[in-house]
Amino acid sequence: MVLRLTLILLFVMTVNVATAKEVQCLADMAYIEARGEGSRGIKAVTDVMFNRIKSPKFPSTVCSNYYKRGQYERAGAINKTPGVRQTEAYKRVLNQVSSEYKSFINGTHKDSVNGALFFNATSNHPIRNVSYRMRLGSHHFYR
């Protein structure tokens, strides 16, 4: 009985650590990619990540998508800026994406980007060989 309870507790702790890491990767990505876009922009880039996780063409976790070579040019850049995770701006992003992640896990998430799997800044050249979905703020979204 004690062993079983210990294993259950260990499992719950492991799940919580994994979830916290996923949320941090999501917050890092949203902060770097859309911190100037407001809550709609943050939701949009977060939704792209969720669409990727659901797609068999991409890795099945936030962190594996975020750190996949060639996907997010500035992945990990936040680690080179000491103290950024303690700023109010980052905390606002973290709070929003935590809520978005919870709704995604619970199956109540609503996609705001029409199934988009990619986005880029409007100042960049359009992405080729994909279907244009929409523009929001300074980003274009594609599938």
Side-chain angles (χ1 to χ4, degrees):
M1 178 71 166
V2 172
L3 177 60
R4 184 173 185 196
L5 193 55
T6 302
L7 289 174
I8 290 170
L9 187 58
L10 183 59
F11 173 76
V12 169
M13 288 171 53
T14 303
V15 168
N16 286 338
V17 168
T19 298
K21 183 63 178 164
E22 289 288 283
V23 170
Q24 183 175 321
C25 284
L26 191 60
D28 288 356
M29 183 276 300
Y31 180 81
I32 288 171
E33 299 290 345
R35 70 180 173 270
E37 297 289 323
S39 60
R40 286 184 63 212
I42 291 166
K43 178 169 178 27
V45 298
T46 301
D47 286 352
V48 168
M49 183 63 77
F50 295 151
N51 290 337
R52 285 179 170 214
I53 291 169
K54 292 186 293 187
S55 171
K57 297 177 182 179
F58 292 92
S60 61
T61 68
V62 173
C63 294
S64 57
N65 270 286
Y66 183 51
Y67 287 108
K68 185 177 179 182
R69 187 180 177 132
Q71 294 301 305
Y72 293 92
E73 292 176 12
R74 298 181 293 187
I78 206 162
N79 297 323
K80 298 173 186 168
T81 311
V84 74
R85 289 190 181 106
Q86 282 69 48
T87 65
E88 287 304 312
Y90 183 87
K91 289 176 184 176
R92 279 193 301 277
V93 171
L94 179 61
N95 190 39
Q96 180 178 342
V97 302
S98 295
S99 177
E100 296 289 343
Y101 186 80
K102 189 182 298 183
S103 73
F104 177 71
I105 295 300
N106 293 336
T108 59
H109 170 259
K110 300 225 183 322
D111 179 19
S112 68
V113 292
N114 302 318
L117 296 169
F118 308 95
F119 65 88
N120 71 344
T122 55
S123 59
N124 293 341
H125 293 289
I127 300 174
R128 299 189 189 283
N129 302 321
V130 291
S131 173
Y132 182 80
R133 291 293 190 221
M134 61 183 278
R135 177 184 176 160
L136 179 65
S138 63
H139 289 96
H140 289 294
F141 294 84
Y142 308 85
R143 180 167 175 96

